[in-house]
Amino acid sequence: MAALLGRRALLQLCRVQTAEWDSACRPGATLSCSRQYVNSGKVSASLLSRHRTLTRQYSSDYKDDLRVRYLDGDDAGIVVVEINRPKAKNAISKNLVKMMFEAVEDIKKNNKVRSVILCSLVPGVFCAGADLKERAKMHQNEVGPFVSKARALITELGNLPMPTIAAIDGVALGGGLEMALACDIRIAASTAKMGLVETKLAIIPGAGGTQRLPRAIGVSLAKELIFTARVVDGADACRLGLVSHSVEQNKCGDAAYVRALELAREINPQGPIAIRMAKLAINQGIEVDISTGLAIEEACYAQVVPTKDRLEGLAAFKEKRIPHFKGE
């Protein structure tokens, strides 16, 4: 009975996600979040793209801590979330958590988004973990709630319905690596350094690291890395399965971002509803036994059958042309 109820709940979740997609993509529909855009600047030669990009400015005293670019032209549907706290090595502060919550909420509601890249604007740094200077000023009673909020943020990042890619071009330690672990795919420069180093401070990873790292690389290796607070480079991370790709760093220091953008461009032309349902099926299915997982897959597959995109895919195959999916 419990399994049956679980399957019904999942089927309802699939239906809700596809209904939300249909509502947002229907002609004449308006997005649920309002955005104020300005033309964005670039920080390196390889980021001087051929298309115009848009940046959302968030309401904050430190609005430059996070920049969100909605690409357009051929890259429409790709969103680039860039952490920008150079003086603090992108450390996770109260303000950054607040801004990232806003950004994730906007992205989640925008059904025109097909993939998300999480990266850094600071050379040589992805995210150095918690802002320990800010943490030192917190009262003991404030630490727990802040860590809980950071954990909730990273959970929300992991629950985004579209593919997420972490581009690690520099140091990713503690909470910074936990943020990357919440993404679907991780790409690192070979020179990047990453690790869950909390035990050096007599604490443990508190934003999902003890759960996501074992799921990524296996229990024994995860224990070894956490127990020793070991830091590995991009090449070793790829060998361990911590990242999917390790790329040689370029002169601009953004090789992982460049590879992530290439990957996002591979994802972009595929059926957007199908991609979301595939992600849901994988994420839900990996947590249960194979029999329940197959039922989850069946429920998700049922949601793509009545779509116009499926018919467009069949028509394009028959007519030997590239399909044009609209998320309908």
Side-chain angles (χ1 to χ4, degrees), residues 14-326:
C14 292
R15 287 173 175 166
V16 167
Q17 290 208 2
T18 52
E20 287 177 347
W21 178 283
D22 180 63
S23 176
C25 292
R26 194 178 298 123
T30 58
L31 296 180
S32 57
C33 54
S34 60
R35 298 190 176 91
Q36 294 179 354
Y37 296 105
V38 296
N39 289 332
S40 65
K42 305 298 186 291
V43 295
S44 69
S46 62
L47 289 181
L48 291 171
S49 58
R50 291 167 292 179
H51 47 67
R52 178 174 54 86
T53 61
L54 300 173
T55 302
R56 172 168 180 178
Q57 298 292 344
Y58 288 95
S59 56
S60 168
D61 293 334
Y62 304 95
K63 63 183 180 181
D64 289 336
D65 283 2
L66 190 73
R67 299 180 185 178
V68 182
R69 295 189 292 132
Y70 288 76
L71 307 190
D72 63 3
D74 293 339
D75 289 339
I78 300 173
V79 177
V80 183
V81 179
E82 300 165 318
I83 306 173
N84 184 43
R85 299 192 70 216
K87 294 182 180 180
K89 296 184 178 180
N90 285 349
I92 301 170
S93 64
K94 290 181 179 179
N95 182 64
L96 183 61
V97 168
K98 174 180 176 293
M99 294 180 72
M100 287 195 71
F101 257 119
E102 291 182 27
V104 169
E105 187 65 20
D106 278 355
I107 291 168
K108 182 171 65 176
K109 292 177 180 178
N110 187 344
N111 285 307
K112 293 184 178 180
V113 176
R114 298 196 178 191
S115 59
V116 177
I117 299 172
L118 177 63
C119 61
S120 166
L121 283 175
V122 181
V125 177
F126 177 77
C127 174
D131 189 333
L132 296 182
K133 290 183 179 179
E134 182 182 79
R135 182 76 60 88
K137 297 176 184 177
M138 289 183 187
H139 188 275
Q140 185 173 333
N141 294 337
E142 295 180 283
V143 175
F146 173 74
V147 173
S148 294
K149 192 166 186 179
R151 185 186 301 116
L153 165 65
I154 291 174
T155 298
E156 285 298 299
L157 176 64
N159 287 338
L160 281 174
M162 69 289 293
T164 53
I165 308 167
I168 307 170
D169 273 306
V171 174
L173 301 176
L177 181 56
E178 288 177 302
M179 202 179 293
L181 282 167
C183 294
D184 299 308
I185 302 166
R186 289 166 294 283
I187 300 172
S190 57
T191 55
K193 303 292 183 183
M194 60 202 83
L196 296 179
V197 297
E198 285 85 351
T199 53
K200 282 186 176 181
L201 299 172
I203 57 175
I204 70 170
T210 63
Q211 303 306 304
R212 292 190 178 91
L213 186 62
R215 285 166 168 78
I217 67 173
V219 173
S220 182
L221 279 173
K223 286 178 177 178
E224 181 177 336
L225 292 186
I226 292 173
F227 294 168
T228 61
R230 185 177 302 156
V231 174
V232 299
D233 63 22
D236 283 340
C238 191
R239 178 177 58 81
L240 292 171
L242 180 53
V243 301
S244 299
H245 305 278
S246 174
V247 293
E248 290 297 319
Q249 189 56 280
N250 57 31
K251 292 180 180 179
C252 298
D254 62 356
Y257 168 75
V258 171
R259 180 67 184 91
L261 184 58
E262 291 173 356
L263 182 56
R265 286 169 173 163
E266 286 186 63
I267 294 170
N268 232 26
Q270 316 312 323
I273 299 176
I275 293 292
R276 291 183 177 219
M277 287 297 103
K279 176 171 177 174
L280 182 62
I282 295 168
N283 285 358
Q284 296 287 333
I286 202 67
E287 301 294 339
V288 298
D289 62 89
I290 185 67
S291 178
T292 306
L294 289 171
I296 289 170
E297 180 184 80
E298 182 180 9
C300 291
Y301 193 97
Q303 302 309 303
V304 302
V305 172
T307 63
K308 294 179 180 179
D309 280 351
R310 186 183 73 88
L311 298 179
E312 164 64 11
L314 291 173
F317 177 79
K318 181 180 180 180
E319 297 165 13
K320 297 182 180 181
R321 60 173 175 81
I322 297 173
H324 299 287
F325 298 122
K326 298 180 179 179

